[in-house]
Amino acid sequence: MLRMKRPGARFVLEEAHDADIGQNSVQRYSLQNNDNFVLAADGNSLELVLDKELDREKQKEINLLLTALDGGSPQRSGTVVIHVTVLDANDNAPVFSQAIYKASLPENSPLDTVVVTVSATDADEGVNGDVTYDFGHVSDEVKKVFSIDRKSGQIKVNGDIDFEAVTTYDLRIKAKDGLGLSSYTKVIIDIVDVNDNIPAIYVKSLSNPIPENVPPGTEVGIINVQDGDSDNNQQVRCSLQQGVPFKLVPSIKNYFSLVSTGQLDREVVSDYNITITATDEGSPPLSSSKSVQLSVADINDNPPVFEEESYSAYVSENNKAGSTLCSVAARDPDWRQNGTVIYSLLAGEVNGAPVSSYVSVNGDTGVIHAVRSFDYEQLRSFKVQVMARDNGSPPLSSNVTVSVFISDVNDNAPQILYPAPEGNSFMTELVPKAAHGGSLVSKVIAVDADSGQNAWLSYQIVKSTDPGLFTIGVHSGEIRTQRDISESDSMKQNLIVSVKDNGQPSLSATCSMYLLISDNLAEVPELKDISYDEKNSKLTSYLIIALVSVSTFFLTFIIIILGVRFCRRRKPRLLFDGAVAIPSAYLPPNYADVDGTGTLRSTYNYDAYLTTGSRTSDFKFLHIILCKFRNSKPTRPHFPTITNSVAIMI
């Protein structure tokens, strides 16, 4: 048995034995031809010399035929077979089945997944042929991801496989036999991408806020989308939710422009929450969303708008200066200074005076105040223009009309036109003795400068010489007899009439009416004491009448006749109602017509008796028409000329 030796190695052989001697003994040796050994013989030894290395992996055993020859004749020989067993020497390194191993591995593969199995063989046997596997020169990171079975050569997953981290692994694998001979191979592992990354959305540029007057098609932002996967898994589509005036326009790779598609209006929508959705083309597809807050900047594009088309203010006359009339309000949907409203009065005139002398407006609140006290009898209503202006640049404005209505206050007492106020003249009316009950004997005429119910007048006799003889119409002021005149009635009758309006509180005025019950002037006594004290008794009245002489009566009568004719020719002439003389100078100016007052609107026929006699000789001597006073420009009432009537004036 021989182990592998180097060429020249010698193995001593035992010599052959021949019984003969001399020339007949063993003279020489011969060795059968072979590839590995030669025979070396000298007189002292016989050696088998290794001429060429043995290779057990090619020939495990060698049989050599050794022949010994003697020198006799005939020559004799002897043979022996040398059986050479070639023992194994660790002269062969392991050999891999492939010079390069390649494998594909999906990312995210579970642990212990077999990636590839390497295999190496060793021609040696026994311990020399036992092969073990291990990593060659690899990093610690690789050893965290992969492991190798030393016996089987299986490479397994030992950690997380992420295509986005490493796409290819190049591993060096070593195979080693029992006595240390080794060889190497390369394992290339390609990581296969799996669609495990959602698209990432980045806002690279955004105009925020954006003016509301930007035209459609304006770029307001740039969006970048990235996906860590590859191929189709990396292809991404982007979209926006419905209902927003924006769209995404593709730009360069993975970039999109956010563009406006319609007119923006901050007053309608001031902020947009835009949701961008990115979806890849993997299987199954993955998607992600990102919200972008976009504010709309205000532009002064809205003028102030009043809450009402027009305003009405009501104020009672005699108001205090500075009192509040009403408040106007305008809204501007713009923002900050563009929506700040300032109020002011537009220039104008009221009755020839600047409107600012009547009212003022608070620039901040829109509250309108009275600058002065108003008088309903002079001004019943007026209008002003209020402007609302914002603080934008340029400012915008709008106007509204404010109508101010002045309501009446009962601040004017009734004014009696007839009979004339005491101290101006003294007037007495004659009442025929034959007057029946219900006959019209006189009328109290009064007006009130107020209006409405403040000018509704009522008449009442508050004091009279004979309370049961005369009555007065509550609303007409007509004085009539309540019964027939009798002989026992006092000739001189004094009535005190109160005229009261219907205001709250009511105001009133009083007048005295003097009546003489007589059929002719001859019976009339001296009139200088006609304004008697009502406390005197009837007897005193009769004595006074008896003392009036006939001469005094005629003289007085002549004076009266002359006076009446003289007054007819003068202007202003005296106004007569029956036997009533109403000087036109007593008509007050600026009396307005008031419907329903009954003071100056009716046409009257006064019945009176001038002389004694038959009741059938009645003579209607007066038709008086009272005029209406309109628009604070009264028309002076004209009365028909009275003939055959008597007015006694002192």
Side-chain angles (χ1 to χ4, degrees):
M1 298 178 63
L2 298 176
R3 289 185 180 278
M4 184 184 69
K5 297 289 186 179
R6 292 183 179 275
R10 292 176 177 272
F11 303 93
V12 178
L13 298 177
E14 293 182 5
E15 295 180 353
H17 178 71
D18 192 337
D20 295 328
I21 59 173
Q23 187 68 26
N24 292 326
S25 62
V26 177
Q27 297 296 312
R28 63 183 183 89
Y29 295 90
S30 66
L31 184 64
Q32 182 184 357
N33 291 332
N34 62 87
D35 295 331
N36 301 103
F37 294 94
V38 295
L39 189 64
D42 58 18
N44 296 319
S45 63
L46 179 65
E47 293 177 336
L48 188 63
V49 178
L50 182 62
D51 184 52
K52 186 179 179 180
E53 285 185 349
L54 299 173
D55 189 352
R56 190 200 66 81
E57 287 72 32
K58 292 181 178 181
Q59 190 175 6
K60 295 182 179 181
E61 292 181 352
I62 302 174
N63 291 318
L64 301 176
L65 184 60
L66 179 63
T67 301
L69 297 174
D70 60 13
S73 180
Q75 189 178 27
R76 293 182 182 275
S77 63
T79 60
V80 66
V81 177
I82 301 173
H83 184 75
V84 179
T85 300
V86 182
L87 298 176
D88 183 50
N90 193 25
D91 58 344
N92 291 282
V95 178
F96 283 95
S97 60
Q98 297 180 30
I100 298 175
Y101 291 85
K102 291 185 177 181
S104 296
L105 178 66
E107 65 175 326
N108 304 326
S109 294
L111 299 178
D112 294 331
T113 298
V114 177
V115 181
V116 66
T117 300
V118 296
S119 176
T121 60
D122 194 318
D124 298 324
E125 66 179 6
V127 175
N128 296 330
D130 291 338
V131 180
T132 59
Y133 304 93
D134 200 355
F135 288 115
H137 299 289
V138 295
S139 64
D140 293 337
E141 295 298 326
V142 173
K143 292 180 180 181
K144 292 180 180 179
V145 177
F146 298 102
S147 65
I148 188 171
D149 190 296
R150 294 178 59 85
K151 293 295 183 181
S152 65
Q154 287 184 340
I155 299 176
K156 296 181 180 180
V157 175
N158 192 44
D160 295 332
I161 305 297
D162 188 359
F163 173 84
E164 289 69 43
V166 180
T167 60
T168 301
Y169 288 92
D170 192 346
L171 307 181
R172 188 173 176 82
I173 306 299
K174 180 176 71 173
K176 184 177 68 171
D177 60 19
L179 294 179
L181 294 181
S182 61
S183 61
Y184 294 87
T185 189
K186 181 184 291 186
V187 177
I188 298 175
I189 303 175
D190 293 324
I191 306 301
V192 179
D193 182 43
V194 174
N195 192 27
D196 61 341
N197 290 279
I198 62 174
I201 302 173
Y202 302 96
V203 179
K204 294 297 184 181
S205 150
L206 186 66
S207 299
N208 195 14
I210 177 174
E212 62 179 322
N213 62 344
V214 297
T218 301
E219 182 181 83
V220 299
I222 297 176
I223 308 300
N224 175 237
V225 181
Q226 296 181 4
D227 194 313
D229 298 319
S230 63
D231 300 329
N232 288 340
N233 296 333
Q234 193 180 36
Q235 301 302 316
V236 178
R237 301 185 308 272
C238 282
S239 62
L240 300 180
Q241 83 272 24
Q242 297 294 325
V244 294
F246 299 95
K247 67 178 180 179
L248 287 174
V249 178
S251 182
I252 60 176
K253 184 179 180 180
N254 295 331
Y255 281 86
F256 299 85
S257 294
L258 182 61
V259 177
S260 63
T261 59
Q263 187 65 50
L264 304 180
D265 190 349
R266 191 203 67 85
E267 288 69 46
V268 177
V269 180
S270 60
D271 294 280
Y272 289 94
N273 187 8
I274 302 173
T275 301
I276 302 171
T277 301
T279 304
D280 61 29
E281 296 184 359
S283 180
L286 299 178
S287 63
S288 64
S289 298
K290 186 177 184 65
S291 294
V292 176
Q293 295 290 336
L294 186 62
S295 299
V296 181
D298 184 51
I299 298 297
N300 191 29
D301 57 347
N302 291 281
V305 177
F306 284 94
E307 295 180 350
E308 300 181 18
E309 293 183 359
S310 62
Y311 290 84
S312 297
Y314 298 89
V315 58
S316 299
E317 64 174 329
N318 305 325
N319 59 291
K320 292 183 179 180
S323 59
T324 299
L325 300 183
C326 69
S327 176
V328 298
R331 297 290 180 264
D332 193 320
D334 292 323
W335 195 47
R336 289 188 176 174
Q337 67 177 13
N338 293 334
T340 302
V341 179
I342 299 175
Y343 304 93
S344 62
L345 290 176
L346 291 180
E349 291 186 352
V350 176
N351 284 353
V355 68
S356 58
S357 64
Y358 284 83
V359 295
S360 65
V361 62
N362 187 303
D364 297 326
T365 64
V367 177
I368 298 177
H369 300 277
V371 175
R372 62 168 68 177
S373 177
F374 301 125
D375 187 354
Y376 174 83
E377 286 71 42
Q378 294 181 358
L379 181 65
R380 297 192 177 186
S381 66
F382 61 92
K383 294 182 178 181
V384 297
Q385 291 283 327
V386 178
M387 179 179 69
R389 175 180 58 84
D390 60 30
N391 261 341
S393 178
L396 301 177
S397 63
S398 61
N399 303 331
V400 73
T401 299
V402 179
S403 300
V404 180
F405 298 96
I406 303 169
S407 58
D408 184 47
V409 172
N410 192 32
D411 58 346
N412 292 279
Q415 185 170 351
I416 299 174
L417 303 181
Y418 182 83
E422 294 185 5
N424 293 338
S425 63
F426 180 74
M427 306 182 69
T428 301
E429 296 197 22
L430 295 178
V431 179
K433 293 181 180 180
H436 295 293
S439 298
L440 176 65
V441 298
S442 185
K443 175 180 174 63
V444 177
I445 301 174
V447 293
D448 195 313
D450 296 319
S451 66
Q453 67 177 10
N454 293 332
W456 295 351
L457 302 182
S458 60
Y459 302 83
Q460 182 182 7
I461 297 176
V462 296
K463 205 171 194 181
S464 65
T465 302
D466 189 347
L469 184 55
F470 298 100
T471 184
I472 190 169
V474 176
H475 300 296
S476 65
E478 295 176 346
I479 299 176
R480 298 179 182 272
T481 57
Q482 293 192 76
R483 56 179 174 80
D484 295 344
I485 301 296
S486 64
E487 293 294 335
S488 62
D489 291 325
S490 173
M491 178 182 292
K492 294 187 292 183
Q493 296 288 331
N494 186 16
L495 305 178
I496 297 178
V497 177
S498 172
V499 183
K500 183 172 65 174
D501 60 28
N502 199 36
Q504 293 294 332
S506 63
L507 301 177
S508 63
T510 59
C511 66
S512 296
M513 179 70 70
Y514 302 104
L515 304 176
L516 287 177
I517 300 177
S518 177
D519 286 333
N520 54 61
L521 295 177
E523 298 178 358
V524 178
E526 186 177 357
L527 300 177
K528 63 181 179 179
D529 295 329
I530 199 165
S531 180
Y532 58 89
D533 187 353
E534 289 185 10
K535 294 182 181 180
N536 295 335
S537 64
K538 288 185 178 181
L539 180 60
T540 304
S541 300
Y542 289 134
L543 290 175
I544 293 174
I545 295 174
L547 293 176
V548 177
S549 63
V550 174
S551 60
T552 303
F553 173 78
F554 283 105
L555 180 61
T556 304
F557 178 77
I558 293 173
I559 293 173
I560 292 174
I561 295 299
L562 293 176
V564 168
R565 290 186 177 182
F566 177 75
C567 289
R568 288 177 182 174
R569 297 173 182 175
R570 291 186 58 188
K571 291 186 179 180
R573 59 167 48 177
L574 295 177
L575 303 180
F576 295 91
D577 182 2
V580 182
I582 308 175
S584 61
Y586 292 145
L587 290 176
N590 300 328
Y591 278 94
D593 172 53
V594 180
D595 292 340
T597 60
T599 58
L600 294 176
R601 301 182 67 245
S602 302
T603 299
Y604 299 96
N605 292 329
Y606 289 168
D607 296 335
Y609 298 93
L610 294 178
T611 60
T612 59
S614 173
R615 291 184 179 181
T616 62
S617 61
D618 297 346
F619 177 68
K620 295 181 180 181
F621 61 90
L622 178 63
H623 181 205
I624 177 171
I625 302 177
L626 301 179
C627 68
K628 294 182 179 180
F629 299 88
R630 298 183 182 276
N631 298 326
S632 300
K633 294 182 180 180
T635 302
R636 178 170 303 191
H638 296 283
F639 297 90
T641 303
I642 301 175
T643 58
N644 297 324
S645 62
V646 177
I648 302 175
M649 300 182 62
I650 297 179

